[in-house]
């Protein structure tokens, strides 16, 4: 039987072929296609490194779709015909999923289709961390590891390698945000059990970290 994710990717492919309008609202429950990322944009790397920092005060202003597209591609998008990504990953096994928790629900980033697949219709931003700003910031990325894909290693090693994979993605997000004038903070202060429950994760999957993104509060 086709999974929800496979069905979503199929719908996108058919829509593209048919020149169908792009689905943009979570209420329509379909995949949300993202515009192509602007891969020529951004500031010089050294300038972005100079600006990289953590921010803990956010405005509630939502992110434009193009910004979301650019951000997710920078985070963990496909950057080669092989399907490999903007961040390295353990043993060439795809362990980390990137979820976007926003006011209109929780979405799974499908890097191959460069689209957001609907995961939950609920606003769970407040459950993504132990700090107040997470509830109002427009986007909290939640990094989820597929423990079941990490065979022949101990649970400690699973957590270690999944965390390293996540850290690379997190730094991509930091650098993108520095370049785009956005605010971000990578977060481990998370009630992991509560968040796994809010996200309805299967038992083998676990949250590694979360990362808030938005505009700095003026
Ligand atoms: C593994 C890890 C976990 C972190 N967890 C949190 C967190 O839960 N909340 C928070 O506000 N910042 C968190 N941070 C951000 C650090 O506090 C921050 O990077 C550090 O203070 C240095 O500040 P800078 O990022 O502005 O250079 C975390 C950073 C890392 C690498």
């Amino acid at each position: 039987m086709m999974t929800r994710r496979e069905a979503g990717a199929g719908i996108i492919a058919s829509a593209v072929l048919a020149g169908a309008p792009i689905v943009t609202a979570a209420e329509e429950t379909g995949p949300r296609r993202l515009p192509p990322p602007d891969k020529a944009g951004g500031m010089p790397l050294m300038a972005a490194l100079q600006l990289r920092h953590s921010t803990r005060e956010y405005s509630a202003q939502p992110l434009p779709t193009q910004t979301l597209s650019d951000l997710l591609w920078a985070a963990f998008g496909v950057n080669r015909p092989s399907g490999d990504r903007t961040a390295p990953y353990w043993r060439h096994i795809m362990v980390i999923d990137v979820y976007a928790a926003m006011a209109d629900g929780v979405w799974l980033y499908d890097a191959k289709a460069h689209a957001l697949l609907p995961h939950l219709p609920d606003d769970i931003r407040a459950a993504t961390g132990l700090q107040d700003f997470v509830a109002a910031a427009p986007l909290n990325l939640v990094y989820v590891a597929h423990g079941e894909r990490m065979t022949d290693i101990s649970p400690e090693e699973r957590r270690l390698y999944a965390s390293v994979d996540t850290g690379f993605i997190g730094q991509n997000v930091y650098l993108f945000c520095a370049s785009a004038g956005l605010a971000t903070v990578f977060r481990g202060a998370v009630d992991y059990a509560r968040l796994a429950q809010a996200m309805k994760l299967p038992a083998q999957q676990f949250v590694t970290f979360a990362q808030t993104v938005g505009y700095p509060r003026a």
Side-chain angles (χ1 to χ4, degrees):
M1 201 176 77
M2 199 184 273
T3 63
R4 193 176 177 193
R5 199 176 306 185
E6 287 163 350
I11 291 165
I12 292 171
S14 318
V16 171
L17 286 174
I22 294 167
V23 176
T24 54
E27 308 83 65
E28 296 180 42
T29 68
R32 179 175 166 188
R33 266 192 72 214
L34 295 166
D38 175 10
K39 298 179 191 171
M43 62 174 53
L45 176 63
M46 298 301 265
L49 282 163
Q50 177 64 34
L51 290 177
R52 188 219 63 83
H53 67 281
S54 298
T55 299
R56 297 176 185 84
E57 293 191 353
Y58 291 83
S59 107
Q61 187 185 337
L63 300 176
T65 305
Q66 184 65 55
T67 303
L68 193 57
S69 165
D70 296 348
L71 166 74
L72 290 168
W73 184 80
F76 206 34
V78 172
N79 71 352
R80 278 159 285 172
S82 61
D84 287 311
R85 306 298 186 87
T86 56
Y89 53 102
W90 178 77
R91 273 197 196 166
H92 211 246
I93 297 171
M94 193 57 64
V95 163
I96 301 296
D97 279 336
V98 178
Y99 287 85
M102 301 188 283
D104 64 357
V106 183
W107 303 79
L108 171 63
Y109 177 50
D110 178 345
K112 212 167 161 184
H114 194 59
L116 288 171
L117 307 185
H119 177 65
L120 289 174
D122 316 316
D123 180 357
I124 65 150
R125 289 175 295 167
T128 67
L130 299 174
Q131 292 160 289
D132 287 345
F133 60 78
V134 304
L139 171 65
N140 285 284
L141 298 171
V142 182
Y143 303 115
V144 174
H146 284 263
E148 81 284 1
R149 295 181 191 166
M150 308 177 87
T151 51
D152 74 39
I153 57 172
S154 68
E156 290 75 21
E157 287 171 315
R158 271 186 210 125
R159 175 67 67 177
L160 172 67
Y161 296 128
S163 296
V164 172
D165 282 11
T166 305
F168 282 110
I169 299 170
Q171 179 71 346
N172 284 352
V173 171
Y174 265 111
L175 292 176
F176 174 80
C177 288
S179 169
L182 296 171
T184 190
V185 63
F186 190 82
R187 296 187 288 100
V190 171
D191 180 338
Y192 287 94
R194 179 180 175 217
L195 182 52
Q197 196 175 28
M199 291 186 69
K200 300 186 169 44
L201 295 180
Q204 310 89 331
Q205 294 183 23
F206 59 92
V207 173
T208 54
F209 292 94
Q211 186 161 10
T212 304
V213 178
Y215 293 97
R217 197 158 72 201

